[in-house]
Amino acid sequence: MTIDLGPIDRSVLTEQVKHRFELLWNLGGQDLPGTMDCQSRHEELTLRGPMVDDCVLAIVTLLSLEGLHLVPSIQLDHALITIFVERWRPETHTFHLPYGEMTIILQDVEVIMGLPIEGEAMVGPTKRTWTEVCAEMLGIQIPDGYQTVLKGQRILIPALVNRIRRPLPSDANEIQVHQYAHCYILALLGDMVFLDRQLCNATDKKAKQISGPLILVQLWIYVKFPHMSPQMVPQPEGVYGPPLPPIPLAMKWAGVMCTKNALMHVLSAYRNQIATTWPDQVKWEPYGNDLSHLPPSFRIEGSNVWRLTIPLICFWLVEFHLPYHVLRQFGLKQEQPRDVNTNCDLHKIDARGKVEKNWLVEHAVHIQKWNDREEYVCNALRMEEVMSRHHPYMVWYHRITRLYIDRASAKMKILVIKESYEYKFIKRALEDVDEVDRIDVPANDEAANQTEIPDVGPSTSSAALVTRHRLAPTPPPAIETPVPPVSILQDTTRPPMPPISPIDIGSPSRHEENILDYLQL
């Protein structure tokens, strides 16, 4: 019998045939796609050392970018980022996980990275003489045809880093100070916008690398999935200078990480870990209800901006912010989302050959919606409890999503449908401990419905069987019961099997708990 991988309803995930994890299943255990090359320009910027010029920092603060300036440099975990690329869906701009959808929202960008999210749309005409713009605004002189600095309408980050590697002269005039500050700010922002497009491009079967604000992706995973985050080593107060500021939240990972009890850089282990994570391990609303310790400039208190259903615009780039797919991340009750349209055609737009375009006119509809953004706040009732798998949203979600990424994540399902005897044996054991709801009966498994499981008789032990929470100790020593061949097991005419005495193995480990919980398919 084959496993129905899904989706059952194919009206949502229409780009499945192009997706990276199509290879994960079809290739089985041979030549699986490996870890992606994660390229972050943030590392280039931090290698130059911290910005200490008071004049430049005053301009950074004036623009409310001091949080972004403070974001620490951390080592990227390429394997961790790769498994979330495999879960990303361009059609919905969300990660499709075993327990529902999640995504990086405006709130995450503002709280983790300290990047303001309010203001006017960044858009306008691009028909400019860009060598002159660079000379005027950045103080960078670019000879004609010198493409290692300027490519079309884009200046390369290394050129900005080289410009600010040398300290600002002590006798710099106001124009020079602003040019220097412009270079620093542009380098900061150059790696922090439009993550959705980078994720969408990386899901393609042929993609080998991903760039963009990957430090945001990694820190978001640490925030939402604490069990996947390395612990920070406490530092003695005052030994390394004054206490670190509380903003942005990324500062929590400024220091020494203890990776002793955390998976790091192991792709297969991460795949298994995310597949066996259960909903109550996820920090759906990790920032709590009281974030008043953060400055008002971060719009923490009562901000509706985080729940806007609006386009995000930067000249030719347009991506949609769709919070109604992930209302649990706001502490709100999740219902089946309305039809989603991320407008994949917008992904194909770039600046090549479009110097004549006035994006203010080209994206007028999207700009108007952004200007009227207060009319597009997504509201819902408060979430009161953990969502069960029988909730209408989960029923809908299981119909429209791909149920399994690879064969390893489907191994328990394979176990219970490959041989009907094993299925019925597991079902009987779970009935004995009143946990039968942990498994689903495959509706089309005729063999399972026809095969009888031998009657093993009632248990003669008063000790409790294995449950998810506790395994009661029992004094008798372990009794090893030989396992007969499958052909004998399936012979229902043989005498009933003798009762199996419970084995004292102590309390179940976290890994065993994962396996037990994973039976809730």
Side-chain angles (χ1 to χ4, degrees):
M1 179 180 177
T2 58
I3 297 177
D4 185 1
L5 299 175
I8 299 171
D9 179 350
R10 300 180 182 273
S11 63
V12 178
L13 302 188
T14 57
E15 302 293 316
Q16 178 61 40
V17 68
K18 304 175 184 177
H19 201 282
R20 173 183 174 86
F21 72 51
E22 190 77 7
L23 299 175
L24 292 175
W25 184 273
N26 291 336
L27 292 179
Q30 302 176 354
D31 300 323
L32 286 177
T35 301
M36 304 197 78
D37 179 19
C38 300
Q39 299 183 347
S40 175
R41 302 187 189 99
H42 190 267
E43 295 178 357
E44 298 177 20
L45 184 59
T46 53
L47 287 175
R48 59 160 294 281
M51 174 61 66
V52 295
D53 191 281
D54 291 338
C55 294
V56 174
L57 293 180
I59 296 173
V60 170
T61 302
L62 183 65
L63 297 174
S64 299
L65 295 175
E66 67 273 24
L68 191 60
H69 156 73
L70 290 170
V71 171
S73 177
I74 64 172
Q75 181 184 9
L76 290 180
D77 190 332
H78 295 214
L80 182 63
I81 293 171
T82 298
I83 65 159
F84 276 85
V85 170
E86 293 169 355
R87 296 280 184 172
W88 180 259
R89 296 306 313 203
E91 302 92 336
T92 59
H93 283 186
T94 56
F95 298 106
H96 276 222
L97 300 164
Y99 26 81
E101 296 170 274
M102 298 184 74
T103 196
I104 299 174
I105 54 179
L106 289 175
Q107 181 187 31
D108 300 316
V109 174
E110 188 164 35
V111 176
I112 296 175
M113 306 301 290
L115 185 63
I117 56 175
E118 265 284 36
E120 299 301 317
M122 190 180 299
V123 69
T126 56
K127 188 178 181 180
R128 305 284 297 274
T129 304
W130 290 102
T131 53
E132 295 178 2
V133 172
C134 288
E136 177 186 350
M137 301 296 295
L138 305 175
I140 298 177
Q141 304 294 331
I142 305 175
D144 291 339
Y146 201 67
Q147 293 193 356
T148 59
V149 177
L150 188 67
K151 285 190 176 182
Q153 305 163 39
R154 299 181 296 115
I155 187 168
L156 303 184
I157 296 293
L160 299 171
V161 175
N162 289 334
R163 174 73 173 87
I164 60 179
R165 180 172 286 121
R166 299 181 297 274
L168 189 65
S170 57
D171 60 346
N173 58 38
E174 184 177 356
I175 293 177
Q176 291 173 319
V177 170
H178 279 271
Q179 288 175 337
Y180 194 89
H182 291 163
C183 288
Y184 180 63
I185 292 169
L186 193 56
L188 283 177
L189 292 173
D191 213 24
M192 287 296 134
V193 294
F194 293 100
L195 172 64
D196 285 1
R197 177 165 294 203
Q198 300 288 352
L199 286 169
C200 291
N201 293 339
T203 62
D204 189 271
K205 286 180 179 180
K206 300 177 182 178
K208 302 296 183 183
Q209 64 183 35
I210 180 174
S211 59
L214 301 183
I215 189 172
L216 169 60
V217 178
Q218 186 161 320
L219 293 180
W220 179 83
I221 296 169
Y222 288 171
V223 169
K224 294 290 185 178
F225 303 87
H227 63 291
M228 302 181 75
S229 170
Q231 299 299 310
M232 301 305 297
V233 178
Q235 301 297 318
E237 185 175 350
V239 172
Y240 298 102
L244 295 173
I247 59 168
L249 188 62
M251 293 300 294
K252 179 180 178 180
W253 289 274
V256 180
M257 293 184 182
C258 176
T259 60
K260 180 179 179 181
N261 297 317
L263 296 172
M264 296 290 288
H265 311 289
V266 183
L267 188 61
S268 59
Y270 277 141
R271 283 178 180 147
N272 290 337
Q273 189 175 32
I274 200 67
T276 56
T277 295
W278 56 81
D280 59 5
Q281 285 183 286
V282 179
K283 295 276 264 186
W284 295 99
E285 195 180 8
Y287 309 119
N289 297 320
D290 182 15
L291 295 176
S292 57
H293 65 285
L294 297 176
S297 60
F298 283 77
R299 296 185 57 83
I300 294 300
E301 298 179 357
S303 174
N304 288 329
V305 179
W306 297 334
R307 292 183 284 113
L308 291 175
T309 305
I310 36 82
L312 307 176
I313 308 161
C314 181
F315 289 93
W316 60 89
L317 298 171
V318 177
E319 300 288 357
F320 285 90
H321 185 247
L322 305 170
Y324 54 81
H325 273 260
V326 292
L327 290 176
R328 283 181 288 179
Q329 292 182 223
F330 301 98
L332 303 178
K333 186 177 180 181
Q334 181 67 58
E335 301 293 349
Q336 177 180 335
R338 57 183 179 271
D339 291 341
V340 59
N341 177 18
T342 59
N343 197 342
C344 291
D345 289 340
L346 290 173
H347 292 174
K348 303 173 185 177
I349 298 177
D350 57 33
R352 289 176 294 185
K354 301 180 178 66
V355 176
E356 303 292 331
K357 291 277 189 182
N358 184 342
W359 300 106
L360 192 63
V361 175
E362 191 74 14
H363 292 320
V365 174
H366 301 310
I367 295 169
Q368 186 59 50
K369 191 169 184 178
W370 170 259
N371 292 338
D372 298 333
R373 54 190 174 276
E374 294 181 0
E375 301 177 12
Y376 298 97
V377 178
C378 187
N379 294 305
L381 299 174
R382 289 292 302 175
M383 179 175 63
E384 301 296 338
E385 57 187 11
V386 176
M387 184 182 294
S388 77
R389 62 193 178 92
H390 301 295
H391 188 279
Y393 166 79
M394 292 304 297
V395 173
W396 167 83
Y397 177 70
H398 282 143
R399 288 183 57 82
I400 63 93
T401 194
R402 184 71 175 262
L403 295 178
Y404 308 107
I405 290 291
D406 58 6
R407 296 177 187 275
S409 65
K411 58 188 175 183
M412 295 305 295
K413 193 73 170 182
I414 292 173
L415 171 66
V416 299
I417 69 173
K418 185 177 181 180
E419 297 288 345
S420 60
Y421 175 82
E422 281 83 350
Y423 170 80
K424 284 187 171 288
F425 193 86
I426 291 172
K427 182 173 180 288
R428 170 66 65 84
L430 292 175
E431 284 175 342
D432 288 344
V433 294
D434 196 26
E435 295 287 349
V436 71
D437 287 341
R438 289 181 182 273
I439 62 173
D440 290 332
V441 179
N444 54 348
D445 191 357
E446 298 178 359
N449 293 331
Q450 296 172 358
T451 304
E452 295 293 332
I453 183 173
D455 185 6
V456 299
S459 173
T460 59
S461 171
S462 59
L465 294 177
V466 175
T467 67
R468 171 177 170 181
H469 302 290
R470 184 180 298 276
L471 183 65
T474 180
I479 300 176
E480 183 176 353
T481 304
V483 180
V486 173
S487 59
I488 296 178
L489 289 175
Q490 292 178 337
D491 181 8
T492 57
T493 63
R494 61 187 289 272
M497 295 172 58
I500 301 174
S501 299
I503 300 173
D504 181 11
I505 58 174
S507 299
S509 67
R510 185 60 171 257
H511 178 65
E512 290 166 337
E513 288 184 343
N514 279 346
I515 294 175
L516 290 171
D517 192 87
Y518 192 73
L519 288 174
Q520 183 176 338
L521 297 172

